[in-house]
Every structure is written in structure tokens, then in C-alpha cells.
Amino acid sequence: MSERPTTTTDAGIAAPSDEHSQSIGPNGPLLLQDHYLIQKMAHFNRERVPERVVHAKGGGAFGTLEITEDVSQFTKAGLFQKGARTESLVRFSTVAGELGAADTSRDPRGFAVKFYTDEGNYDLVGNNTPVFFIRDPQKFSDFIHSQKRRADNHLHDHNMQWDFWTQSPESAHQVSLLMSDRGTPFSWRHMNGYGSHTFLWYNAAGEKFWVKYHFKTDQGVKNLTDAEAAAWQAKDADLHIRDLYTSIKNGDFPTWTVQVQVMPFEEAADYRFNPFDLTKVWPHADYEPITIGRWTLNRNPDDYFAQIEQAAFEPANLVPGIGASPDKMLQGRLFSYPDTHRHRIGANYLQLPVNRPRNEVHTYNKDGAMAYTNPADPVYTPNTVGGPVADPELWKGDSYDVAGEIVRSAYTLHRDDDDFGQPRALWEKVLSDTDRDNMVGNILGHASAPEVTPEMKVRVAEYWRNIQKDLGDRVAKGLGVNGR
Ligand code: NDP
């Protein structure tokens, strides 16, 4: 008698054969009544859920956040109290590529973290860059369309990308970072993560602060050159998944130092930059990053599809002590992330083990496709029969005055706001000579694609001249559009 278990159907019924379909005689046609065969084929046909429209290619791991400093004066959130240890999940990804795309493509990297806190899930859905291409979600789908594939030939098209960027000057900061070697990280372990958006923190007394998160890699930032990234695309499209998985498997756990920049609530109004504009950083000299803890990745997924492909991150998951800011991109994402999960995975995506909070859920939401747990009676509120009741006290602090006319408008400019000053600081003060040479080379490689028209090359040079004249001149020269 074999020690191996008997194969079953998904209903647990013993399977008649692993190899043979039921047929009329050994050579005859197959029978519709072969339920085991039909179930196997039908389930196989449904193995894929829709891939993410953005951030389709990725990988991830589980880890632990440990808070080492006392920041209770800024937030009462349990996960950020000194000594707290919180289990977490991260998913790293590229943005524009499809499921099988190469990990080393030039692209920002998604850096989405879910913290399974005692107060419910807290998700920080960031990137490996502190800024973004646009500042109003009205432009998001247009921006992504320009990065994906053309309608006619189904090809990525650099002319289309530059057409969007050169008409969207707010993209200058993020495109600068993208065209630097940080656009092609060596591995996910060797890049920083940023919450990017500004968030609200409030303490037990209800006092408010604005914060930005920085996860600084303890492995050191390490990037690929354009040539190295291209070579890896041919050699191993899954380099970054493999690197993270192997290093955790070998017990070489990557860590990040967790920092926050904290701005007193009242300073936002008069700060020299609009602190809610996602195309801007807060210069470190203005708000020094404070170290609050350490984050370690220490466990690989054991089921990629169940734990990574079906992982659902949403910036709307904010626990008491943390709130949203008026950042327009964040406001758009508060809606769009849960909406895409409802479409992609289904209305009950939060019941899947990887997405389910570790604390108890007491909700009046019920039913829907694939409901696995449902609230017990009573199924409505208000009720007089002992159902759960909300506790507004927990959220005291999560409010602030807003007044104004309903408009469609750009942000009000703050004193030093413009689209080019911060990327200019990056070029002039932060990048080394080698970084600059590589960045010019990366831009030229990208904008020299055969589909980029001569007229577009002139606009590309102008775009970079707006950031910094020497940079623009070098791009113009390299593209052969030196005519002005
Ligand atoms: P600082 O000189 O205080 O900080 C510059 C920061 O730039 C560094 O701390 C580092 O942040 C980051 N950096 C270092 N090397 C590179 C590189 N090769 N490519 C991209 N970023 C790099 O200056 P400011 O805070 O005034 O910022 C100046 C410019 O630096 C900004 O305009 C922005 O472009 C860039 N920057 C600023 C960040 C911020 O939050 N203030 C964060 C990242 C970039 P880190 O260790 O986080 O990588």
C-alpha cells in the first residue's frame, strides 16, 4: 500500500486516474460524464486572474517591523509605539511591464507594505522614489497609457512617452530620477522605499503632524548601468524575484532603517514648497529624517499566487493615529486601489488569508461572490441586540478645517514651488560626475529609439534645458538637435 495520499477532485472525492480520461473503449471518444477531467480542464482555464493594469510584474516576502524610538508625541498608532513588533508583507514590482516582463527594465519600482497590526491592516503603498510623475489623478490613466502599448501596433513607444512628459513639466523630477541609475536597481534589497505621499499623524491628545516615510536600505543603494540592465534582461528576466527569494532562503535577511520626516501641522500653510505636492520632496535640511525603527524581511512566500499575486494593498487602510493628507494623488488612490481589487480578485478580497487582518473583524458587510465568513446576526446597525458599535473616540485627531470654493485648478503655489528647482538640485548638488554621465547616457539611449521623431528630440532637449542648461545642452548635442 502506497504512503502517498490519494488524488482527489476539488470536492475531496477520490480521483479515478491521474493519466487516463474516460473513453468509449481504449480508442474511442471521451465522455462528458468524466467530471474529474472536466474539472481539471475548467480549473486550468481559470488559473489566471486579470493581471494588474500597473505593477503587474513583482515579487515579495514577509517581514517584521520593530520600533526602536519613542514617537508617541507624534502618533498614537500602536504599530509605531516603541518596542512594537509587527508582522508585515511587501510586494516589489515594476510599473509598466506585464507579468512576464524583465525585472531590470527602466521603471520606478513599487514598494507596497502591509502591516498586520493589532488595530487592523495598515498599508503603505510606496515606491523606490520619493516623488511621482504627476500631481493630479485626473492625468493618471493618460500617463499610464503613454507608458504602456500603442493602440495600433501594440508596441511600447518612446515617442509617446516623451510626448506626455514634455507636455507635463511636473514630471521633470520623477523623470530625472527615472533616467538616473536609480531607474535600474541592482536588486530590490538594494533600493530605498518611500511612502512618497504626505500623511497625517495624530497623537493621543489629538495633536496633528504631517509625515513622510523613508525606508533606507541597510544593504546600501546599488544600481545597474543601462548596459548591465539590458544584459540582465536577456540573461534572467526574473533577476529580482530570484535575488530576494534566494537571499531570504539562505538566511541573509535584508533590512531597512525606517525614518520619518515630521512637519508640525500648522507649518504646512507657509512652507516654501507645497507639502502635499507628490512631485516634491521635503529637503532634509528643512525636516531632518528621524530614525524610528528597523524593518527586516525574513520569510519567503510558500505560495506565490495566493500570497503575492492575490495580495491587495490599499492606501485607504489607515489605522487610528494615521490619516490621509490633501495630496490629490493620495486622494485618488484611496479610491482606485480598493476598486481595482474588487474588480481583479472580487468583492471579498479581504477575506483571503494574505489580506485578512490578524485582529477580529466585526463588520456589517456581508455576502457577495466567494464570501467565506459572514457577520453573525444582527446584520444591521443600529440594533438593540448586541451588535458591534463604532468608537469615534479612536479617531479623535483625524480631522481638520477645510474651506473654499469648488474649483478645477492647479495647486496654489508656495514660495519656492516650480517644476524644475528640485530636479535641478538633484543634478547640481546630489549626483556625482559618474551619475551625471550615466544619466545623460540613459536619456540619450531612451530618446534615440527609432520611433522618436526629430521634432520630439527638440522638445526632449528643451525639457532637460528647463531643468539645467548644461544637462539640456548635453542631451541636445547627443540627440543631434543642437540648433538653438
Ligand atoms: P540632501 O543633500 O539633504 O539629500 C539628498 C538626498 O538625495 C540624499 O539624502 C539621498 O537620499 C538622495 N540621493 C543621494 N544620491 C542620490 C542619487 N544618486 N540619486 C537620487 N537620489 C540620491 O538634499 P535635499 O533633501 O535638499 O534634496 C536634494 C535633492 O535630492 C532633491 O531635490 C531630490 O531630487 C533628491 N532626493 C531628496 C530626498 C528627500 O527626501 N529630501 C530623497 C531622495 C532624493 P536617500 O538616502 O533617501 O536616497
Side-chain angles (χ1 to χ4, degrees):
M1 171 110 166
S2 163
E3 303 226 328
R4 294 169 63 175
T6 304
T7 316
T8 69
T9 70
D10 293 347
I13 302 162
S17 167
D18 289 321
E19 292 175 60
H20 301 298
S21 311
Q22 196 176 34
S23 55
I24 303 174
N27 306 318
L30 305 184
L31 293 180
L32 187 61
Q33 69 175 22
D34 186 352
H35 170 67
Y36 182 54
L37 169 69
I38 303 286
Q39 186 183 69
K40 231 173 150 178
M41 290 196 300
H43 195 279
F44 177 73
N45 292 346
R46 291 163 177 77
E47 275 184 7
R48 298 287 171 269
V49 296
E51 73 172 32
R52 293 166 168 87
V53 179
V54 281
H55 296 277
K57 175 74 189 294
F62 295 91
T64 309
L65 173 72
E66 293 172 80
I67 299 300
T68 52
E69 308 304 322
D70 182 1
V71 284
S72 58
Q73 71 271 34
F74 302 128
T75 179
K76 65 175 187 172
L79 85 156
F80 291 128
Q81 301 312 304
K82 188 172 179 182
R85 288 172 60 89
T86 306
E87 191 199 348
S88 62
L89 165 74
V90 65
R91 184 173 180 275
F92 301 111
S93 53
T94 48
V95 179
E98 292 89 7
L99 263 173
D103 287 343
T104 54
S105 302
R106 181 168 303 286
D107 215 352
R109 299 300 185 280
F111 196 113
V113 190
K114 182 183 293 297
F115 299 100
Y116 301 98
T117 89
D118 296 341
E119 298 165 301
N121 289 351
Y122 173 50
D123 293 356
L124 191 60
V125 191
N127 280 328
N128 72 331
T129 58
V131 294
F132 196 62
F133 298 91
I134 51 173
R135 56 170 73 100
D136 191 313
Q138 186 71 248
K139 294 177 81 167
F140 185 77
S141 56
D142 297 303
F143 162 63
I144 293 298
H145 288 168
S146 76
Q147 306 298 301
K148 303 278 278 194
R149 293 175 185 276
R150 284 178 62 100
D152 51 5
N153 59 16
H154 198 58
L155 291 172
H156 290 280
D157 186 308
H158 290 194
N159 201 67
M160 178 164 83
Q161 298 186 1
W162 288 109
D163 194 23
F164 183 91
W165 286 333
T166 55
Q167 294 185 87
S168 304
E170 72 271 31
S171 65
H173 198 180
Q174 174 76 324
V175 176
S176 297
L177 288 162
L178 176 67
M179 291 296 157
S180 80
D181 283 343
R182 288 201 178 189
T184 49
F186 175 80
S187 83
W188 293 326
R189 294 182 297 128
H190 292 85
M191 62 186 200
N192 294 336
Y194 304 88
S196 304
H197 299 289
T198 296
F199 293 91
L200 180 73
W201 269 11
Y202 51 96
N203 64 19
E207 293 163 328
K208 293 180 248 299
F209 305 86
W210 302 112
V211 292
K212 280 193 183 289
Y213 297 90
H214 302 252
F215 285 52
K216 306 286 283 282
T217 171
D218 295 326
Q219 289 66 240
V221 172
K222 198 168 163 190
N223 302 309
L224 299 168
T225 63
D226 213 29
E228 289 167 340
W232 275 112
Q233 284 175 38
K235 202 168 157 192
D236 183 0
D238 302 319
L239 176 71
H240 290 172
I241 299 184
R242 198 181 314 282
D243 172 86
L244 182 67
Y245 189 87
T246 309
S247 110
I248 293 175
K249 191 172 167 208
N250 292 340
D252 180 11
F253 299 148
T255 63
W256 282 258
T257 299
V258 182
Q259 299 185 324
V260 286
Q261 290 177 286
V262 181
M263 178 187 291
F265 183 85
E266 296 72 22
E267 290 182 17
D270 296 328
Y271 182 47
R272 60 197 184 103
F273 298 109
N274 183 331
F276 309 116
D277 176 351
L278 187 57
T279 70
K280 302 281 191 307
V281 295
W282 298 354
H284 292 166
D286 293 357
Y287 295 98
E288 193 184 347
I290 306 166
T291 294
I292 64 168
R294 193 165 199 242
W295 183 61
T296 307
L297 295 182
N298 47 27
R299 182 160 65 91
N300 275 320
D302 44 42
D303 184 331
Y304 180 87
F305 186 84
Q307 295 168 319
I308 304 298
E309 187 62 11
Q310 293 199 121
F313 300 88
E314 46 191 306
N317 281 343
L318 300 162
V319 290
I322 308 172
S325 78
D327 173 343
K328 292 179 187 180
M329 288 300 296
L330 173 62
Q331 295 276 324
R333 295 173 84 214
L334 295 178
F335 158 73
S336 71
Y337 278 63
D339 187 56
T340 198
H341 304 323
R342 286 187 280 264
H343 160 68
R344 200 172 69 84
I345 316 176
N348 286 305
Y349 66 95
L350 284 167
Q351 295 190 10
L352 292 174
V354 75
N355 298 324
R356 200 167 54 208
R358 300 299 183 252
N359 59 329
E360 276 185 39
V361 173
H362 301 283
T363 175
Y364 289 100
N365 294 329
K366 65 192 289 285
D367 299 351
M370 311 300 279
Y372 180 66
T373 57
N374 260 328
D377 284 316
V379 292
Y380 59 91
T381 183
N383 63 71
T384 53
V385 288
V389 287
D391 182 0
E393 277 298 303
L394 284 173
W395 300 95
K396 223 168 140 187
D398 184 28
S399 58
Y400 51 87
D401 281 341
V402 179
E405 192 183 351
I406 295 174
V407 294
R408 288 184 187 277
S409 156
Y411 279 123
T412 309
L413 288 181
H414 288 220
R415 179 163 45 94
D416 290 347
D417 275 344
D418 77 338
D419 291 322
F420 308 116
Q422 292 200 351
R424 187 176 304 128
L426 176 73
W427 172 264
E428 289 183 344
K429 296 188 192 140
V430 178
L431 298 186
S432 67
D433 284 345
T434 308
D435 291 335
R436 289 196 199 121
D437 290 347
N438 289 359
M439 180 165 155
V440 171
N442 297 340
I443 295 167
L444 294 179
H446 194 281
S448 300
E451 68 272 19
V452 180
T453 63
E455 297 74 32
M456 188 62 69
K457 287 179 180 167
V458 173
R459 280 165 53 187
V460 170
E462 194 59 29
Y463 181 82
W464 294 104
R465 276 191 178 117
N466 285 331
I467 295 168
Q468 213 274 348
K469 184 170 179 315
D470 180 46
L471 165 61
D473 287 347
R474 288 174 68 175
V475 171
K477 191 166 174 219
L479 292 177
V481 291
N482 222 358
R484 65 191 283 282

